[in-house]
Amino acid sequence: MFSYQDNHQSAQVLAGDLPISQDANSIYKLLLWHFMVLIVACIVDRILLIQTALPLLSLQAVISYMMLVFNPTQRWSALILLIALFALIHLFSHPPFTSMTWTLLGQICVSIVTIIISALVTQNFLRNIDIFTLRFIHVLFSCTVVFTLLYQYMTAVATYRIDPLDLSHWQYLIDCIIGQITSIAIVINGLLMILMLKYQSMIVIPKLTTNNLMLLIISSTGILFILYFGGNLISNLSVFIVIPALWFCYRYRWWGLSSFALVINAVTMIYVMFAIIHFQTTSDLTLISQLGFSLNDMAWFLLGLNLIILYINAMIHELDTTQLSIEHSQALMIKRNDEQQVLNQQINQLNKHLINAQEFQRRKLSIELKNQMEKNIHELQQAINLLELQASLTGNGHNPFTKIKIFAHYIYMSVFELINWLKPEILERFGLIETLKSQYFSDKLSLNNIAFDFSSQGDRINIPENISLVLFRITQEAIN
Protein backbone atom coordinates (compact mmCIF):
# COMPACT_ATOMS: atom_id res chain seq x y z
CA MET A 1 0.00 0.00 0.00
CA PHE A 2 1.27 3.52 -0.88
CA SER A 3 1.38 5.32 2.46
CA TYR A 4 1.91 8.92 3.49
CA GLN A 5 5.04 7.85 5.35
CA ASP A 6 6.52 6.40 2.14
CA ASN A 7 6.01 9.71 0.36
CA HIS A 8 7.09 11.64 3.43
CA GLN A 9 10.45 9.90 3.44
CA SER A 10 11.09 10.67 -0.24
CA ALA A 11 9.52 14.16 -0.25
CA GLN A 12 8.14 14.04 -3.77
CA VAL A 13 5.42 16.67 -3.39
CA LEU A 14 5.66 19.84 -5.49
CA ALA A 15 9.28 19.00 -6.19
CA GLY A 16 8.79 16.28 -8.78
CA ASP A 17 10.79 13.09 -8.66
CA LEU A 18 13.62 14.23 -6.44
CA PRO A 19 16.27 11.84 -5.15
CA ILE A 20 16.13 10.90 -1.49
CA SER A 21 19.73 11.99 -0.88
CA GLN A 22 20.20 15.44 0.61
CA ASP A 23 22.64 16.76 -2.02
CA ALA A 24 22.84 20.40 -3.08
CA ASN A 25 21.06 19.96 -6.42
CA SER A 26 17.99 18.37 -4.85
CA ILE A 27 17.71 21.13 -2.24
CA TYR A 28 18.06 23.85 -4.87
CA LYS A 29 15.47 22.22 -7.08
CA LEU A 30 13.12 21.86 -4.12
CA LEU A 31 13.52 25.52 -3.16
CA LEU A 32 13.01 26.61 -6.77
CA TRP A 33 9.71 24.75 -7.04
CA HIS A 34 8.44 26.11 -3.74
CA PHE A 35 9.67 29.59 -4.61
CA MET A 36 7.60 29.58 -7.80
CA VAL A 37 4.51 28.32 -5.99
CA LEU A 38 4.85 30.94 -3.24
CA ILE A 39 5.17 33.70 -5.86
CA VAL A 40 1.84 32.63 -7.36
CA ALA A 41 0.31 32.49 -3.86
CA CYS A 42 1.51 36.01 -3.08
CA ILE A 43 0.01 37.35 -6.32
CA VAL A 44 -3.34 35.70 -5.59
CA ASP A 45 -3.38 37.01 -2.00
CA ARG A 46 -2.48 40.51 -3.20
CA ILE A 47 -5.46 40.63 -5.58
CA LEU A 48 -8.18 38.62 -3.81
CA LEU A 49 -8.79 40.85 -0.77
CA ILE A 50 -11.87 41.07 1.41
CA GLN A 51 -13.46 44.34 2.60
CA THR A 52 -10.93 44.69 5.43
CA ALA A 53 -8.01 44.53 2.93
CA LEU A 54 -7.02 41.08 4.18
CA PRO A 55 -6.30 38.13 1.86
CA LEU A 56 -9.42 36.12 1.15
CA LEU A 57 -7.70 32.78 0.69
CA SER A 58 -4.49 33.27 2.76
CA LEU A 59 -2.92 31.10 0.08
CA GLN A 60 0.64 31.96 1.07
CA ALA A 61 0.13 30.69 4.63
CA VAL A 62 -1.62 27.56 3.39
CA ILE A 63 1.13 26.77 0.87
CA SER A 64 3.79 27.31 3.54
CA TYR A 65 1.95 25.01 5.93
CA MET A 66 1.53 22.28 3.28
CA MET A 67 5.19 22.60 2.26
CA LEU A 68 6.23 21.59 5.77
CA VAL A 69 3.58 18.89 6.17
CA PHE A 70 4.57 17.08 2.97
CA ASN A 71 8.34 17.37 3.38
CA PRO A 72 10.64 15.52 5.81
CA THR A 73 11.87 17.49 8.80
CA GLN A 74 15.44 17.27 7.46
CA ARG A 75 14.50 19.87 4.83
CA TRP A 76 12.61 22.19 7.12
CA SER A 77 15.54 24.50 7.81
CA ALA A 78 15.77 25.58 4.15
CA LEU A 79 12.00 25.76 3.78
CA ILE A 80 11.53 27.87 6.91
CA LEU A 81 14.00 30.42 5.56
CA LEU A 82 11.99 30.55 2.33
CA ILE A 83 8.73 30.93 4.28
CA ALA A 84 10.20 33.77 6.38
CA LEU A 85 11.43 35.52 3.23
CA PHE A 86 7.97 35.49 1.65
CA ALA A 87 6.39 36.59 4.93
CA LEU A 88 8.59 39.70 4.78
CA ILE A 89 7.77 40.24 1.10
CA HIS A 90 4.07 39.98 1.86
CA LEU A 91 4.42 42.48 4.70
CA PHE A 92 6.38 44.96 2.56
CA SER A 93 3.74 44.78 -0.19
CA HIS A 94 0.94 45.62 2.26
CA PRO A 95 -0.23 49.22 1.67
CA PRO A 96 -0.14 50.49 5.31
CA PHE A 97 3.50 49.35 5.72
CA THR A 98 5.89 52.22 6.50
CA SER A 99 8.87 50.76 8.37
CA MET A 100 9.96 47.62 10.18
CA THR A 101 9.14 47.67 13.90
CA TRP A 102 9.35 45.15 16.70
CA THR A 103 5.57 44.78 16.51
CA LEU A 104 5.69 43.82 12.84
CA LEU A 105 8.60 41.48 13.51
CA GLY A 106 6.56 39.87 16.27
CA GLN A 107 3.64 39.42 13.88
CA ILE A 108 5.89 37.60 11.42
CA CYS A 109 7.31 35.39 14.15
CA VAL A 110 3.82 34.51 15.43
CA SER A 111 2.72 33.59 11.92
CA ILE A 112 5.78 31.42 11.21
CA VAL A 113 5.71 29.69 14.62
CA THR A 114 2.00 28.90 14.22
CA ILE A 115 2.68 27.34 10.80
CA ILE A 116 5.64 25.29 12.07
CA ILE A 117 3.86 23.92 15.16
CA SER A 118 0.70 23.11 13.20
CA ALA A 119 2.69 21.32 10.48
CA LEU A 120 4.62 19.28 13.04
CA VAL A 121 1.42 18.18 14.80
CA THR A 122 -0.22 17.33 11.46
CA GLN A 123 2.77 15.19 10.46
CA ASN A 124 2.49 13.19 13.67
CA PHE A 125 -1.22 12.58 13.10
CA LEU A 126 -0.70 11.51 9.48
CA ARG A 127 2.18 9.16 10.20
CA ASN A 128 1.48 5.50 9.26
CA ILE A 129 -1.88 6.36 7.60
CA ASP A 130 -2.40 5.11 4.06
CA ILE A 131 -2.63 8.00 1.68
CA PHE A 132 -5.66 8.58 -0.62
CA THR A 133 -7.99 6.94 1.92
CA LEU A 134 -11.01 8.51 3.58
CA ARG A 135 -9.25 8.34 6.95
CA PHE A 136 -6.28 10.25 5.54
CA ILE A 137 -8.61 12.92 4.14
CA HIS A 138 -10.50 13.16 7.44
CA VAL A 139 -7.34 13.56 9.52
CA LEU A 140 -5.62 15.96 7.11
CA PHE A 141 -8.64 18.19 6.64
CA SER A 142 -9.41 18.23 10.37
CA CYS A 143 -5.84 19.26 11.16
CA THR A 144 -5.94 22.01 8.53
CA VAL A 145 -9.21 23.39 9.90
CA VAL A 146 -7.66 23.58 13.38
CA PHE A 147 -4.61 25.23 11.84
CA THR A 148 -6.87 27.77 10.12
CA LEU A 149 -8.65 28.71 13.35
CA LEU A 150 -5.36 28.97 15.24
CA TYR A 151 -3.61 30.91 12.48
CA GLN A 152 -6.40 33.44 11.99
CA TYR A 153 -6.80 33.94 15.72
CA MET A 154 -3.07 34.35 16.41
CA THR A 155 -2.49 36.72 13.50
CA ALA A 156 -5.57 38.77 14.41
CA VAL A 157 -4.38 39.10 18.00
CA ALA A 158 -0.82 39.93 16.88
CA THR A 159 -2.11 42.71 14.59
CA TYR A 160 -4.50 44.01 17.28
CA ARG A 161 -7.55 43.41 15.11
CA ILE A 162 -9.40 41.57 17.90
CA ASP A 163 -9.25 41.37 21.66
CA PRO A 164 -7.92 37.90 22.64
CA LEU A 165 -10.42 37.66 25.52
CA ASP A 166 -13.46 38.94 23.63
CA LEU A 167 -15.00 35.99 21.76
CA SER A 168 -17.63 38.20 20.14
CA HIS A 169 -14.97 39.51 17.75
CA TRP A 170 -14.76 36.10 16.05
CA GLN A 171 -17.44 37.26 13.62
CA TYR A 172 -14.87 39.56 12.01
CA LEU A 173 -12.75 36.51 11.13
CA ILE A 174 -15.48 34.47 9.46
CA ASP A 175 -14.64 35.61 5.92
CA CYS A 176 -10.93 34.94 6.42
CA ILE A 177 -11.59 31.52 7.98
CA ILE A 178 -13.93 30.43 5.17
CA GLY A 179 -11.49 31.73 2.55
CA GLN A 180 -8.51 29.94 4.10
CA ILE A 181 -10.45 26.65 4.42
CA THR A 182 -11.34 27.03 0.74
CA SER A 183 -7.68 27.56 -0.06
CA ILE A 184 -6.80 24.44 1.95
CA ALA A 185 -9.31 22.30 0.01
CA ILE A 186 -7.88 23.59 -3.29
CA VAL A 187 -4.27 22.96 -2.24
CA ILE A 188 -5.02 19.46 -0.90
CA ASN A 189 -6.66 18.56 -4.19
CA GLY A 190 -3.63 19.79 -6.10
CA LEU A 191 -1.10 18.06 -3.84
CA LEU A 192 -2.87 14.72 -3.92
CA MET A 193 -3.22 15.02 -7.70
CA ILE A 194 0.56 15.38 -7.97
CA LEU A 195 1.06 12.43 -5.62
CA MET A 196 -1.34 10.38 -7.73
CA LEU A 197 1.03 10.77 -10.68
CA LYS A 198 3.48 8.53 -8.81
CA TYR A 199 0.85 6.17 -7.46
CA GLN A 200 -0.80 5.92 -10.88
CA SER A 201 2.27 4.16 -12.27
CA MET A 202 1.72 1.32 -9.77
CA ILE A 203 -1.84 0.55 -10.87
CA VAL A 204 -3.53 0.23 -14.22
CA ILE A 205 -5.24 3.62 -14.70
CA PRO A 206 -5.09 5.33 -18.10
CA LYS A 207 -3.54 8.76 -18.30
CA LEU A 208 -4.94 11.78 -20.09
CA THR A 209 -4.49 11.67 -23.85
CA THR A 210 -4.40 14.49 -26.38
CA ASN A 211 -7.96 13.79 -27.53
CA ASN A 212 -9.35 13.85 -24.01
CA LEU A 213 -7.57 17.13 -23.25
CA MET A 214 -10.06 18.70 -25.67
CA LEU A 215 -12.78 18.00 -23.10
CA LEU A 216 -10.85 20.08 -20.56
CA ILE A 217 -10.53 22.91 -23.06
CA ILE A 218 -14.25 22.77 -23.85
CA SER A 219 -15.03 22.73 -20.13
CA SER A 220 -12.79 25.77 -19.56
CA THR A 221 -14.56 27.62 -22.37
CA GLY A 222 -17.93 26.76 -20.89
CA ILE A 223 -16.87 27.99 -17.45
CA LEU A 224 -15.67 31.29 -18.92
CA PHE A 225 -18.97 31.62 -20.80
CA ILE A 226 -20.99 31.14 -17.61
CA LEU A 227 -18.77 33.48 -15.60
CA TYR A 228 -18.88 36.17 -18.27
CA PHE A 229 -22.65 36.26 -18.49
CA GLY A 230 -22.92 36.30 -14.70
CA GLY A 231 -25.96 35.01 -12.89
CA ASN A 232 -26.00 32.62 -10.01
CA LEU A 233 -22.50 31.12 -10.07
CA ILE A 234 -23.19 28.14 -7.83
CA SER A 235 -26.34 26.88 -9.54
CA ASN A 236 -25.27 27.47 -13.16
CA LEU A 237 -21.70 26.29 -12.85
CA SER A 238 -22.60 23.30 -10.66
CA VAL A 239 -25.05 22.00 -13.26
CA PHE A 240 -22.57 22.55 -16.07
CA ILE A 241 -19.70 20.60 -14.47
CA VAL A 242 -21.68 17.47 -13.51
CA ILE A 243 -21.33 15.57 -16.81
CA PRO A 244 -17.62 16.23 -17.50
CA ALA A 245 -16.80 15.63 -13.83
CA LEU A 246 -18.51 12.24 -13.92
CA TRP A 247 -16.68 11.38 -17.15
CA PHE A 248 -13.23 12.26 -15.79
CA CYS A 249 -13.97 10.41 -12.57
CA TYR A 250 -15.07 7.28 -14.44
CA ARG A 251 -12.28 7.35 -17.01
CA TYR A 252 -9.26 8.62 -15.09
CA ARG A 253 -10.23 8.20 -11.44
CA TRP A 254 -8.49 10.47 -8.91
CA TRP A 255 -6.03 12.13 -11.24
CA GLY A 256 -8.62 12.92 -13.89
CA LEU A 257 -11.23 14.36 -11.51
CA SER A 258 -8.61 16.41 -9.64
CA SER A 259 -7.31 17.74 -12.97
CA PHE A 260 -10.83 18.80 -13.85
CA ALA A 261 -11.18 20.51 -10.46
CA LEU A 262 -7.83 22.25 -11.02
CA VAL A 263 -9.11 23.67 -14.31
CA ILE A 264 -12.30 24.95 -12.66
CA ASN A 265 -10.34 26.50 -9.77
CA ALA A 266 -7.81 28.15 -12.06
CA VAL A 267 -10.33 29.50 -14.57
CA THR A 268 -12.66 30.83 -11.87
CA MET A 269 -9.93 32.51 -9.82
CA ILE A 270 -8.13 33.98 -12.84
CA TYR A 271 -11.37 35.37 -14.22
CA VAL A 272 -12.25 36.97 -10.90
CA MET A 273 -8.75 38.43 -10.48
CA PHE A 274 -8.86 39.98 -13.95
CA ALA A 275 -12.26 41.41 -13.10
CA ILE A 276 -10.93 42.92 -9.86
CA ILE A 277 -7.95 44.41 -11.68
CA HIS A 278 -10.26 45.80 -14.35
CA PHE A 279 -12.77 47.36 -11.94
CA GLN A 280 -10.07 48.37 -9.42
CA THR A 281 -12.24 47.26 -6.48
CA THR A 282 -13.18 44.22 -4.38
CA SER A 283 -16.47 45.67 -3.21
CA ASP A 284 -19.22 43.08 -3.01
CA LEU A 285 -21.75 45.49 -4.53
CA THR A 286 -19.55 46.17 -7.54
CA LEU A 287 -18.70 42.52 -8.10
CA ILE A 288 -22.31 41.40 -7.74
CA SER A 289 -23.49 44.07 -10.16
CA GLN A 290 -20.78 43.31 -12.71
CA LEU A 291 -20.15 39.56 -12.26
CA GLY A 292 -23.33 38.37 -10.59
CA PHE A 293 -21.52 37.03 -7.50
CA SER A 294 -19.21 38.20 -4.71
CA LEU A 295 -15.89 36.90 -3.43
CA ASN A 296 -17.68 35.09 -0.62
CA ASP A 297 -19.93 33.37 -3.18
CA MET A 298 -16.85 32.25 -5.07
CA ALA A 299 -15.19 30.99 -1.87
CA TRP A 300 -18.24 28.96 -0.86
CA PHE A 301 -18.59 27.53 -4.36
CA LEU A 302 -14.92 26.50 -4.60
CA LEU A 303 -15.01 25.08 -1.07
CA GLY A 304 -18.03 22.89 -1.81
CA LEU A 305 -16.65 21.83 -5.20
CA ASN A 306 -13.22 20.82 -3.90
CA LEU A 307 -14.55 19.06 -0.81
CA ILE A 308 -17.02 17.03 -2.86
CA ILE A 309 -14.36 16.08 -5.39
CA LEU A 310 -11.89 15.26 -2.61
CA TYR A 311 -14.25 12.82 -0.89
CA ILE A 312 -15.50 11.33 -4.16
CA ASN A 313 -11.90 10.65 -5.12
CA ALA A 314 -11.19 9.00 -1.78
CA MET A 315 -14.27 6.78 -1.99
CA ILE A 316 -13.57 5.78 -5.59
CA HIS A 317 -9.95 5.06 -4.69
CA GLU A 318 -10.96 2.81 -1.80
CA LEU A 319 -13.40 0.97 -4.08
CA ASP A 320 -10.66 0.52 -6.69
CA THR A 321 -8.21 -0.63 -4.03
CA THR A 322 -10.75 -3.14 -2.73
CA GLN A 323 -11.43 -4.34 -6.26
CA LEU A 324 -7.71 -4.75 -6.92
CA SER A 325 -7.35 -6.64 -3.64
CA ILE A 326 -10.23 -8.94 -4.58
CA GLU A 327 -8.76 -9.55 -8.04
CA HIS A 328 -5.36 -10.24 -6.49
CA SER A 329 -6.92 -12.68 -4.02
CA GLN A 330 -8.81 -14.40 -6.82
CA ALA A 331 -5.65 -14.68 -8.93
CA LEU A 332 -3.78 -16.03 -5.91
CA MET A 333 -6.60 -18.50 -5.25
CA ILE A 334 -6.57 -19.66 -8.87
CA LYS A 335 -2.81 -20.06 -8.70
CA ARG A 336 -3.08 -22.07 -5.49
CA ASN A 337 -5.87 -24.19 -7.00
CA ASP A 338 -3.66 -24.92 -9.99
CA GLU A 339 -0.80 -25.81 -7.68
CA GLN A 340 -3.16 -28.01 -5.66
CA GLN A 341 -4.32 -29.76 -8.81
CA VAL A 342 -0.73 -30.37 -9.85
CA LEU A 343 0.03 -31.64 -6.36
CA ASN A 344 -3.03 -33.92 -6.45
CA GLN A 345 -1.93 -35.27 -9.81
CA GLN A 346 1.52 -35.93 -8.42
CA ILE A 347 0.00 -37.66 -5.38
CA ASN A 348 -2.23 -39.75 -7.64
CA GLN A 349 0.77 -40.69 -9.74
CA LEU A 350 2.71 -41.59 -6.61
CA ASN A 351 -0.17 -43.71 -5.31
CA LYS A 352 -0.43 -45.41 -8.66
CA HIS A 353 3.29 -46.16 -8.61
CA LEU A 354 3.02 -47.48 -5.06
CA ILE A 355 0.09 -49.75 -5.96
CA ASN A 356 1.91 -50.97 -9.04
CA ALA A 357 5.01 -51.62 -6.98
CA GLN A 358 2.95 -53.55 -4.41
CA GLU A 359 1.26 -55.61 -7.09
CA PHE A 360 4.58 -56.27 -8.75
CA GLN A 361 6.02 -57.57 -5.49
CA ARG A 362 2.93 -59.72 -4.91
CA ARG A 363 3.10 -61.19 -8.36
CA LYS A 364 6.81 -61.77 -8.00
CA LEU A 365 6.25 -63.50 -4.66
CA SER A 366 3.39 -65.50 -6.13
CA ILE A 367 5.55 -66.65 -9.03
CA GLU A 368 8.40 -67.61 -6.72
CA LEU A 369 6.05 -69.56 -4.47
CA LYS A 370 4.55 -71.29 -7.44
CA ASN A 371 7.90 -72.14 -8.97
CA GLN A 372 9.65 -73.20 -5.78
CA MET A 373 7.18 -74.23 -3.10
CA GLU A 374 4.69 -75.92 -5.40
CA LYS A 375 7.44 -78.05 -6.96
CA ASN A 376 8.97 -78.96 -3.60
CA ILE A 377 5.61 -79.75 -2.01
CA HIS A 378 4.69 -81.88 -5.03
CA GLU A 379 7.93 -83.85 -4.65
CA LEU A 380 7.28 -84.14 -0.90
CA GLN A 381 3.80 -85.55 -1.61
CA GLN A 382 5.24 -88.12 -4.02
CA ALA A 383 7.82 -89.20 -1.41
CA ILE A 384 5.12 -89.50 1.26
CA ASN A 385 2.93 -91.52 -1.10
CA LEU A 386 5.87 -93.89 -1.73
CA LEU A 387 6.56 -94.27 1.99
CA GLU A 388 2.87 -94.84 2.65
CA LEU A 389 2.81 -97.54 0.00
CA GLN A 390 5.86 -99.27 1.49
CA ALA A 391 4.39 -99.10 5.01
CA SER A 392 1.13 -100.59 3.79
CA LEU A 393 3.00 -103.55 2.24
CA THR A 394 4.56 -104.44 5.61
CA GLY A 395 1.10 -105.29 6.88
CA ASN A 396 1.19 -102.82 9.75
CA GLY A 397 -2.37 -101.79 10.56
CA HIS A 398 -1.34 -98.33 11.76
CA ASN A 399 0.27 -96.39 8.90
CA PRO A 400 1.84 -93.10 10.21
CA PHE A 401 2.43 -91.73 6.72
CA THR A 402 -1.29 -91.39 6.05
CA LYS A 403 -1.58 -88.53 8.53
CA ILE A 404 1.59 -86.94 7.17
CA LYS A 405 0.09 -87.14 3.70
CA ILE A 406 -2.99 -85.28 4.89
CA PHE A 407 -0.85 -82.51 6.41
CA ALA A 408 1.21 -82.26 3.24
CA HIS A 409 -1.97 -81.90 1.21
CA TYR A 410 -3.18 -79.17 3.59
CA ILE A 411 0.11 -77.32 3.18
CA TYR A 412 -0.16 -77.62 -0.58
CA MET A 413 -3.71 -76.18 -0.56
CA SER A 414 -2.64 -73.34 1.73
CA VAL A 415 0.23 -72.40 -0.55
CA PHE A 416 -2.04 -72.67 -3.58
CA GLU A 417 -4.61 -70.42 -1.89
CA LEU A 418 -1.88 -67.94 -0.92
CA ILE A 419 -0.67 -67.83 -4.49
CA ASN A 420 -4.17 -67.11 -5.75
CA TRP A 421 -4.64 -64.55 -2.98
CA LEU A 422 -1.48 -62.71 -4.02
CA LYS A 423 -2.12 -63.01 -7.74
CA PRO A 424 -5.82 -63.49 -8.45
CA GLU A 425 -5.87 -65.14 -11.85
CA ILE A 426 -9.67 -65.13 -11.85
CA LEU A 427 -9.60 -61.31 -11.70
CA GLU A 428 -7.34 -61.15 -14.72
CA ARG A 429 -9.48 -63.58 -16.66
CA PHE A 430 -13.06 -62.57 -15.86
CA GLY A 431 -12.88 -59.10 -14.29
CA LEU A 432 -14.09 -57.68 -10.98
CA ILE A 433 -17.84 -58.31 -11.29
CA GLU A 434 -17.48 -61.99 -12.21
CA THR A 435 -14.87 -62.49 -9.49
CA LEU A 436 -17.25 -61.13 -6.87
CA LYS A 437 -20.07 -63.33 -8.18
CA SER A 438 -17.89 -66.46 -8.10
CA GLN A 439 -17.01 -68.67 -5.14
CA TYR A 440 -13.69 -66.94 -4.68
CA PHE A 441 -14.68 -65.08 -1.50
CA SER A 442 -17.62 -67.23 -0.41
CA ASP A 443 -15.40 -70.31 -0.02
CA LYS A 444 -13.07 -68.45 2.30
CA LEU A 445 -15.89 -67.00 4.40
CA SER A 446 -17.68 -70.34 4.60
CA LEU A 447 -14.79 -71.65 6.72
CA ASN A 448 -16.00 -69.28 9.42
CA ASN A 449 -19.70 -69.95 8.77
CA ILE A 450 -20.22 -66.57 7.11
CA ALA A 451 -22.48 -66.29 4.10
CA PHE A 452 -21.34 -64.17 1.15
CA ASP A 453 -23.69 -62.84 -1.48
CA PHE A 454 -23.02 -60.28 -4.22
CA SER A 455 -25.49 -58.70 -6.62
CA SER A 456 -25.07 -55.91 -9.18
CA GLN A 457 -27.58 -53.69 -10.98
CA GLY A 458 -27.50 -51.90 -14.28
CA ASP A 459 -25.65 -52.60 -17.47
CA ARG A 460 -22.34 -54.31 -17.40
CA ILE A 461 -19.52 -51.82 -17.48
CA ASN A 462 -15.84 -52.19 -18.12
CA ILE A 463 -13.97 -51.11 -15.03
CA PRO A 464 -10.34 -50.08 -15.63
CA GLU A 465 -7.76 -52.58 -14.48
CA ASN A 466 -6.17 -50.31 -11.88
CA ILE A 467 -9.55 -49.48 -10.30
CA SER A 468 -10.64 -53.13 -10.38
CA LEU A 469 -7.46 -54.12 -8.62
CA VAL A 470 -7.96 -51.48 -5.90
CA LEU A 471 -11.60 -52.52 -5.32
CA PHE A 472 -10.56 -56.15 -5.23
CA ARG A 473 -7.90 -55.44 -2.61
CA ILE A 474 -10.40 -53.44 -0.53
CA THR A 475 -12.83 -56.39 -0.58
CA GLN A 476 -9.96 -58.72 0.19
CA GLU A 477 -8.90 -56.73 3.23
CA ALA A 478 -12.50 -56.51 4.47
CA ILE A 479 -12.84 -60.32 4.28
CA ASN A 480 -9.54 -60.81 6.06
Side-chain angles (χ1 to χ4, degrees):
M1 179 67 72
F2 186 71
S3 65
Y4 164 78
Q5 190 173 10
D6 298 332
N7 176 75
H8 178 256
Q9 295 300 326
S10 58
Q12 293 177 341
V13 181
L14 294 180
D17 294 330
L18 296 180
I20 300 177
S21 61
Q22 297 290 332
D23 57 356
N25 291 332
S26 64
I27 295 296
Y28 293 150
K29 187 183 295 186
L30 175 72
L31 293 176
L32 178 60
W33 276 97
H34 291 334
F35 182 82
M36 294 170 60
V37 173
L38 285 174
I39 287 178
V40 175
C42 286
I43 294 174
V44 173
D45 285 343
R46 189 68 186 86
I47 297 175
L48 296 180
L49 301 174
I50 59 177
Q51 299 297 318
T52 56
L54 294 174
L56 172 67
L57 300 178
S58 299
L59 194 59
Q60 178 187 339
V62 173
I63 293 294
S64 301
Y65 166 75
M66 289 297 178
M67 282 167 48
L68 298 180
V69 171
F70 283 87
N71 274 286
T73 53
Q74 291 83 356
R75 294 179 175 178
W76 277 26
S77 56
L79 293 175
I80 290 174
L81 292 176
L82 186 63
I83 292 171
L85 174 63
F86 272 87
L88 290 173
I89 294 174
H90 177 72
L91 185 63
F92 292 156
S93 63
H94 203 270
F97 177 80
T98 56
S99 63
M100 176 61 69
T101 63
W102 287 106
T103 302
L104 295 177
L105 186 62
Q107 295 173 7
I108 295 175
C109 292
V110 168
S111 173
I112 295 175
V113 170
T114 303
I115 292 173
I116 294 174
I117 295 176
S118 300
L120 187 61
V121 173
T122 304
Q123 273 194 0
N124 291 330
F125 276 109
L126 292 177
R127 199 173 303 277
N128 299 326
I129 299 180
D130 292 333
I131 200 168
F132 307 124
T133 60
L134 284 172
R135 182 166 176 254
F136 181 86
I137 301 300
H138 289 325
V139 174
L140 178 59
F141 193 74
S142 299
C143 290
T144 54
V145 170
V146 174
F147 158 70
T148 298
L149 298 176
L150 181 63
Y151 178 82
Q152 291 295 335
Y153 175 76
M154 294 299 295
T155 53
V157 171
T159 54
Y160 304 104
R161 287 187 287 119
I162 64 172
D163 185 356
L165 300 180
D166 189 0
L167 298 181
S168 62
H169 291 169
W170 275 96
Q171 59 183 347
Y172 298 108
L173 302 179
I174 294 298
D175 292 342
C176 293
I177 292 174
I178 297 302
Q180 186 168 338
I181 294 176
T182 301
S183 176
I184 286 170
I186 295 173
V187 172
I188 291 176
N189 251 330
L191 285 174
L192 295 183
M193 182 189 70
I194 296 173
L195 278 177
M196 184 56 71
L197 290 175
K198 177 181 178 181
Y199 180 80
Q200 201 169 24
S201 61
M202 304 179 187
I203 55 179
V204 183
I205 297 179
K207 296 183 179 180
L208 288 174
T209 60
T210 304
N211 293 331
N212 290 313
L213 286 176
M214 294 299 298
L215 184 58
L216 282 177
I217 297 175
I218 294 174
S219 301
S220 303
T221 306
I223 294 170
L224 286 174
F225 180 81
I226 294 175
L227 292 173
Y228 179 78
F229 286 96
N232 193 323
L233 173 70
I234 296 178
S235 61
N236 292 337
L237 197 53
S238 298
V239 173
F240 171 76
I241 66 177
V242 169
I243 295 178
L246 292 177
W247 164 253
F248 278 102
C249 180
Y250 166 75
R251 189 71 179 87
Y252 302 104
R253 297 309 197 214
W254 190 303
W255 196 84
L257 189 55
S258 294
S259 300
F260 183 71
L262 179 64
V263 170
I264 296 176
N265 295 330
V267 171
T268 303
M269 293 172 62
I270 292 173
Y271 177 82
V272 173
M273 286 191 295
F274 272 109
I276 291 175
I277 294 173
H278 176 71
F279 297 119
Q280 296 293 320
T281 181
T282 58
S283 171
D284 289 342
L285 294 177
T286 302
L287 293 177
I288 292 175
S289 63
Q290 298 295 328
L291 303 179
F293 58 88
S294 64
L295 290 180
N296 287 333
D297 294 334
M298 182 194 73
W300 279 107
F301 165 72
L302 294 179
L303 175 61
L305 171 69
N306 286 274
L307 280 181
I308 291 174
I309 288 179
L310 197 60
Y311 279 93
I312 288 177
N313 281 333
M315 288 186 290
I316 294 298
H317 174 74
E318 289 194 355
L319 291 176
D320 290 340
T321 304
T322 303
Q323 182 65 28
L324 288 175
S325 178
I326 293 174
E327 292 177 357
H328 176 71
S329 299
Q330 290 176 345
L332 185 61
M333 187 179 299
I334 293 173
K335 181 180 178 181
R336 289 180 178 177
N337 288 337
D338 294 339
E339 292 176 353
Q340 188 67 33
Q341 289 179 358
V342 173
L343 183 60
N344 290 337
Q345 291 177 358
Q346 293 176 351
I347 292 175
N348 291 334
Q349 289 294 116
L350 180 59
N351 290 334
K352 186 176 180 180
H353 290 321
L354 290 175
I355 292 174
N356 292 336
Q358 277 185 335
E359 292 302 321
F360 175 77
Q361 293 297 330
R362 285 175 177 174
R363 292 186 181 186
K364 183 178 179 181
L365 179 59
S366 174
I367 293 172
E368 290 179 356
L369 288 174
K370 185 175 181 181
N371 293 336
Q372 300 295 330
M373 294 293 295
E374 186 177 9
K375 178 181 178 181
N376 294 334
I377 291 174
H378 185 65
E379 292 178 354
L380 177 62
Q381 284 180 331
Q382 289 180 350
I384 293 173
N385 289 336
L386 182 59
L387 292 174
E388 182 186 15
L389 180 59
Q390 291 177 356
S392 62
L393 294 176
T394 60
N396 188 2
H398 178 71
N399 192 344
F401 293 102
T402 303
K403 192 171 184 179
I404 296 175
K405 179 182 178 180
I406 294 173
F407 283 131
H409 179 72
Y410 179 76
I411 292 172
Y412 175 78
M413 295 302 297
S414 298
V415 173
F416 179 76
E417 183 180 358
L418 180 60
I419 292 173
N420 286 332
W421 204 252
L422 292 173
K423 182 184 177 184
E425 295 183 359
I426 187 173
L427 180 64
E428 297 178 357
R429 290 184 180 181
F430 304 105
L432 178 64
I433 302 299
E434 296 300 327
T435 301
L436 295 176
K437 288 182 178 180
S438 67
Q439 300 297 319
Y440 186 81
F441 292 112
S442 61
D443 290 341
K444 187 172 183 62
L445 290 174
S446 62
L447 298 176
N448 295 316
N449 297 322
I450 299 176
F452 177 82
D453 181 52
F454 173 79
S455 61
S456 61
Q457 297 179 354
D459 298 334
R460 183 175 180 181
I461 58 175
N462 294 324
I463 302 177
E465 181 180 357
N466 58 339
I467 298 178
S468 298
L469 187 59
V470 172
L471 295 176
F472 176 81
R473 293 303 181 191
I474 292 173
T475 308
Q476 198 177 51
E477 292 296 329
I479 290 176
N480 285 337

